[in-house]
Amino acid sequence: MLKKSRLIALLLMLCLVFPLVAQGQVENAPAKEIELRWASIWVGNDSKAPAVEALVAEYNAKNAGKIKVVVEPQPDYNAYEQKVRTSLAAGQAPADIFTIKFNPTTATFYQSNLLMDFAKVMDTPWKQSFDAGSIEQSTVDGMLKSLPMETAILPIWYNMDAFKKAGISELPTTIEGMFSAFDKLKAAGITPTSQMTGDTNAWTSMIWFSHFAVSLGGTNVWDKSFTDPAFVEAAKLTKRMIVEYSTTDAVGLGAGGSGGHFLAGRTAVFSNGPWYAGRADLAATPFFNSIKIAGLPAAGSTKDFMISRLQANICAASSKDKAREAAIVDFLKFLTSAPSISKIAETSGAMFAIKTDYRPVKALQKQFYDVADAAKTTAFDLEAALGAEVTLEFAQQLGALALGRISAEEFCALVDRKIER
């Protein structure tokens, strides 16, 4: 009987001790590593790819066992934008972290509960590290569901070696002087410009159209009806650029082809943002050191302006898991810190909405900063001002305009139908 009583007492003791031991094991067990998926466009041939890859590796090493950022490469920009729209429409964030071009179309994403509202998690020092104007532009109804990251000006690029071959030593300062220079380039056997009507935004030609429209109609031109005379005249000028002063494959051509012509020296004038300045294939061209960056010669009464935009804003998936939310914020604070941004800017040439002491020393990159500083005012391009749906219609109808199937007036009326008022 005594042995039985001792056995029962021992069993009771074990029942009391084991839960405490187990509880201690759970409490002392290391937290599971949080994996964050980043659908990144800054991969492959993108000029920001090397610096971004190095920064992710640095962050992962510092946070080994706690947080790991896994990059999901998105090298096709157009396909990626469609993926983001499709995913959000289906009620699912495309990744823990992803980017958007901020414009009226993507601003509607703010209505989704799938996106983290940075206004609720951003402390004062972090907020003050961003350009105040960019934060304001990225705020919708008090919500900050995307962080302004990459900004851009979209000037005109001139291959001055090609200009010299045609007997031209100075950049044109008037629209008449520009066309005169183009005629001299053609006479010298050089195709003047890279134009395109393909992809979802007819990127290169959309930039030219935007320059024409703002110069003709003012910096508030995007508030007007698209049938306004400023847009009609801009359409006529853009058609002239495509038909008379571009490559024969411009209709239907994509951004890769348009840029490829300039890189190969087949065209003398190009248009793109500062990120293109950091490309290795551009640096390898024989005319690299001759490139000059400038605004478009005035086509109308508005002068000394520059087309600009928020090129890439960063979004994050909202999460009820506070540890995951904290991990996302921690990584984005690291990514958008002044040291990180300086590293990306130095190697890529891109410009950002984060305050740093970085100033470029490379000649081509420095030209972008000089041109931006010299501009008396700025204005959005068509895509940034009116959104993806309007820009898609612009691109789809631009080919028909160039081929003479529709008039400039008809072109503008077709685009105007897509604008929500």
Side-chain angles (χ1 to χ4, degrees):
M1 185 70 179
L2 183 59
K3 290 182 178 180
K4 186 174 182 181
S5 298
R6 288 178 177 175
L7 180 60
I8 292 173
L10 180 60
L11 290 173
L12 288 172
M13 186 180 295
L14 292 174
C15 287
L16 291 172
V17 172
F18 280 167
L20 292 175
V21 173
Q23 182 179 354
Q25 289 176 338
V26 171
E27 289 177 352
N28 294 329
K32 184 178 179 181
E33 183 180 67
I34 298 174
E35 183 175 290
L36 302 178
R37 296 181 303 113
W38 179 12
S40 176
I41 57 174
W42 299 321
V43 295
N45 291 327
D46 190 287
S47 61
K48 294 172 287 297
V52 168
E53 182 180 5
L55 287 169
V56 170
E58 178 186 342
Y59 182 84
N60 285 342
K62 288 181 179 179
N63 293 275
K66 296 184 295 182
I67 305 170
K68 182 179 182 181
V69 177
V70 177
V71 172
E72 297 178 346
Q74 307 292 325
D76 187 328
Y77 302 154
N78 292 322
Y80 169 72
E81 289 179 21
Q82 184 59 43
K83 174 185 177 181
V84 171
R85 288 195 293 270
T86 302
S87 295
L88 292 175
Q92 182 177 1
D96 296 300
I97 301 165
F98 56 99
T99 55
I100 62 171
K101 289 180 182 177
F102 188 80
N103 56 50
T105 300
T106 55
T108 62
F109 298 166
Y110 279 42
Q111 300 169 11
S112 171
N113 293 325
L114 297 171
L115 303 187
M116 181 187 296
D117 186 357
F118 292 104
K120 296 180 179 179
V121 299
M122 180 176 270
D123 56 34
T124 300
W126 192 22
K127 183 176 182 179
Q128 290 179 344
S129 69
F130 288 83
D131 170 68
S134 297
I135 286 286
E136 183 179 355
Q137 290 175 2
S138 302
T139 301
V140 179
D141 297 330
M143 297 180 291
L144 182 65
K145 291 196 172 184
S146 69
L147 294 174
M149 179 79 169
E150 185 181 359
T151 61
I153 60 170
L154 303 174
I156 309 302
W157 300 43
Y158 298 89
N159 175 346
M160 294 308 295
D161 280 354
F163 270 57
K164 289 177 182 177
K165 289 178 182 177
I168 309 166
S169 58
E170 299 292 334
L171 293 180
T173 57
T174 65
I175 199 72
E176 294 79 10
M178 183 186 77
F179 285 125
S180 175
F182 289 174
D183 287 333
K184 290 179 181 178
L185 286 165
K186 286 179 66 176
I190 302 169
T191 301
T193 77
S194 287
Q195 300 293 330
M196 57 177 281
T197 69
D199 293 341
T200 58
N201 56 13
W203 175 251
T204 308
S205 295
M206 186 274 294
I207 296 173
W208 281 92
F209 177 89
S210 300
H211 276 277
F212 289 140
V214 171
S215 185
L216 290 161
T219 55
N220 66 341
V221 70
W222 307 115
D223 296 332
K224 301 178 181 180
S225 166
F226 214 82
T227 56
D228 186 89
F231 291 122
V232 174
E233 183 60 26
K236 291 177 180 178
L237 288 169
T238 305
K239 176 183 178 179
R240 184 179 178 186
M241 297 290 292
I242 297 171
V243 174
E244 297 182 32
Y245 299 113
S246 187
T247 55
T248 56
D249 61 351
V251 175
L253 190 67
S258 176
H261 284 312
F262 183 74
L263 291 171
R266 289 189 290 269
T267 57
V269 187
F270 185 52
S271 52
N272 215 328
W275 58 86
Y276 210 82
R279 289 179 62 122
D281 50 1
L282 178 68
T285 62
F287 59 85
F288 179 72
N289 291 325
S290 82
I291 297 174
K292 283 191 177 181
I293 303 297
L296 180 78
S301 58
T302 304
K303 305 175 182 179
D304 300 324
F305 67 92
M306 182 50 58
I307 297 295
S308 66
R309 60 158 41 200
L310 291 172
Q311 176 64 11
N313 280 28
I314 292 187
C315 298
S318 62
S319 177
K320 294 180 180 179
D321 184 338
K322 292 301 179 183
R324 175 169 288 275
E325 179 183 88
I328 291 172
V329 170
D330 187 72
F331 172 66
L332 291 180
K333 279 187 174 182
F334 168 79
L335 183 66
T336 60
S337 67
S340 295
I341 293 301
S342 294
K343 290 177 183 177
I344 303 173
E346 181 179 3
T347 57
S348 69
M351 304 171 80
F352 295 91
I354 294 93
K355 300 172 185 175
T356 72
D357 293 328
Y358 171 75
R359 286 296 177 268
V361 294
K362 296 178 181 178
L364 184 56
Q365 294 179 12
K366 187 176 183 299
Q367 285 190 63
F368 276 89
Y369 283 75
D370 292 343
V371 167
D373 290 342
K376 293 181 180 178
T377 187
T378 61
F380 281 149
D381 60 90
L382 183 150
E383 184 178 44
L386 300 180
E389 299 304 321
V390 176
T391 308
L392 178 61
E393 185 69 16
F394 170 89
Q396 291 176 338
Q397 300 300 339
L398 187 59
L401 173 67
L403 294 172
R405 294 173 181 170
I406 56 176
S407 66
E409 290 79 6
E410 290 169 326
F411 167 81
C412 290
L414 288 167
V415 176
D416 188 67
R417 293 189 309 176
K418 291 292 183 177
I419 301 175
E420 293 184 9
R421 295 185 175 88

